[in-house]
Amino acid sequence: MHQKLIIDYTLIRQLQQYPDKLYHVYQQPKKKFGSPQIGKDGVKLMRKITRPVERLKIVQKQINNCLKEYDLPDCMYGGVSEKNNFDNAVPHKSSRYFLTIDLRNFFGNITNAIIYQTLINNRFTWKEAREITIISTYKGSLPQGAPTSTVLANLSFAPTAIILEDFCRERNIIFTVFVDDLSFSSCQCFEHDIHEICQLIKKGGFFVNHKKIHYKKNCCEITGLYVKRGKLSLHKNILININKPGIKEYINSVKDQYNKHKKAALLSRKAA
């Protein structure tokens, strides 16, 4: 490991014997564009959050800082330092055909066995891998709400991301990953590649949410931003919620990033 972790073995024993005492499990409304998401039955969609108690959270943050030092493929943007949803959408802005895929129960399907093997593959010792797995998993999988979950999910998905990246490069398809949201785009129709893309995901041990496979032409929403005719824009629903906490700051942040991107693109063209 790049950093030496101080492991609390009392904590490990408690996690093995009484995991429920070290996590708070509750439901939280899913939100999109600043508003709660509503299902087809008119009921609010909920997300299960599994939040560690403070002393476990402190150790998980230390592990998270250590794991962030490990390299990920360039196509991965979610939970990666100095990258965000805007950066994830930018590569697709000049495309005409779009495919978005959501991975089903992403954290829940990443088991402790997968985490352990991922850490071994990243040159952790068996002892380190075992300890980190115990500290970072809850009832056999990654808990949604722990500081370690996103970085471990990224490391677990990275081998599949590399395979998809190579597959797409050979076919002039742009590919990016934002945690469990996969985005593909091209100037040419690639609908015939969807089945093989899904098979590669399945072969990697992950599951596609077949209700959330969308293939579109000319315009597409990618990680909260609309991509159309070489431009990125905010959805009108987020503008409606501009006075809600954090929304105005997010809108201003996206505008700043967009202006910086335009300036950088202009300077690049001039240099060429």
Side-chain angles (χ1 to χ4, degrees):
M1 287 187 292
H2 292 107
Q3 297 180 20
K4 181 65 177 176
L5 294 174
I6 300 172
I7 301 297
D8 181 346
Y9 291 100
T10 302
L11 186 62
I12 285 181
R13 284 195 297 272
Q14 289 178 330
L15 282 164
Q16 290 175 309
Q17 296 172 8
Y18 314 108
D20 289 329
K21 293 184 178 180
L22 292 162
Y23 284 94
H24 302 296
V25 182
Y26 58 94
Q27 297 288 323
Q28 180 175 291
K30 289 185 178 182
K31 287 190 175 183
K32 187 170 185 178
F33 306 128
S35 297
Q37 292 189 52
I38 308 298
K40 292 180 179 179
D41 55 1
V43 177
K44 286 184 181 179
L45 300 179
M46 305 297 286
R47 176 180 282 110
K48 180 183 176 182
I49 302 296
T50 307
R51 181 169 56 85
V53 299
E54 191 60 28
R55 63 195 183 94
L56 175 56
K57 187 177 180 180
I58 290 169
V59 178
Q60 289 176 341
K61 282 184 175 180
Q62 292 173 351
I63 294 171
N64 179 53
N65 290 335
C66 167
L67 295 174
K68 277 186 173 180
E69 295 183 14
Y70 285 76
D71 292 333
L72 291 168
D74 291 337
C75 62
M76 302 188 82
Y77 289 85
V80 179
S81 297
E82 299 182 5
K83 289 185 177 182
N84 54 41
N85 65 310
F86 179 88
D87 299 319
N88 182 71
V90 165
H92 302 277
K93 71 183 185 68
S94 298
S95 297
R96 190 180 179 193
Y97 297 87
F98 305 90
L99 168 67
T100 56
I101 294 176
D102 181 81
L103 298 179
R104 177 165 54 85
N105 191 22
F106 186 47
F107 291 117
N109 283 323
I110 299 177
T111 64
N112 47 11
I114 292 171
I115 294 301
Y116 177 82
Q117 190 58 53
T118 295
L119 293 167
I120 292 294
N121 292 345
N122 280 278
R123 299 185 179 181
F124 284 82
T125 67
W126 71 266
K127 185 173 180 290
E128 291 167 340
R130 177 180 175 275
E131 291 169 351
I132 292 173
T133 299
I134 292 169
I135 290 169
S136 303
T137 57
Y138 173 71
K139 294 188 176 180
S141 63
L142 288 178
Q144 189 163 349
T148 40
S149 290
T150 299
V151 68
L152 283 168
N154 280 343
L155 287 170
S156 300
F157 188 71
T160 301
I162 291 169
I163 291 169
L164 288 168
E165 200 172 31
D166 291 342
F167 175 87
C168 291
R169 189 182 297 111
E170 292 172 359
R171 292 158 179 78
N172 294 317
I173 299 170
I174 295 164
F175 168 59
T176 64
V177 187
F178 198 89
V179 191
D180 58 351
D181 290 325
L182 279 56
S183 302
F184 306 80
S185 70
S186 178
C187 293
Q188 304 296 324
C189 177
F190 62 99
E191 191 170 7
H192 56 280
D193 290 313
I194 295 176
H195 176 72
E196 193 166 353
I197 287 170
C198 290
Q199 289 301 111
L200 289 173
I201 293 168
K202 184 179 179 180
K203 191 175 179 179
F206 298 90
F207 302 89
V208 170
N209 185 341
H210 290 280
K211 293 180 180 179
K212 292 187 177 181
I213 297 177
H214 302 290
Y215 186 76
K216 296 185 177 182
K217 182 179 177 181
N218 296 328
C219 178
C220 184
E221 180 205 332
I222 295 178
T223 50
L225 294 166
Y226 271 80
V227 182
K228 185 178 181 180
R229 296 177 183 174
K231 295 182 179 180
L232 300 178
S233 61
L234 291 161
H235 193 278
K236 62 181 181 180
N237 287 351
I238 201 167
L239 299 174
I240 292 170
N241 295 313
I242 193 168
N243 293 321
K244 290 188 176 180
I247 298 298
K248 190 171 185 179
E249 291 80 359
Y250 170 72
I251 291 171
N252 289 335
S253 172
V254 170
K255 286 180 178 178
D256 288 343
Q257 290 177 83
Y258 189 60
N259 289 333
K260 287 178 183 177
H261 171 72
K262 284 175 67 178
K263 286 179 182 178
L266 182 61
L267 290 171
S268 179
R269 284 198 296 270
K270 285 183 178 179

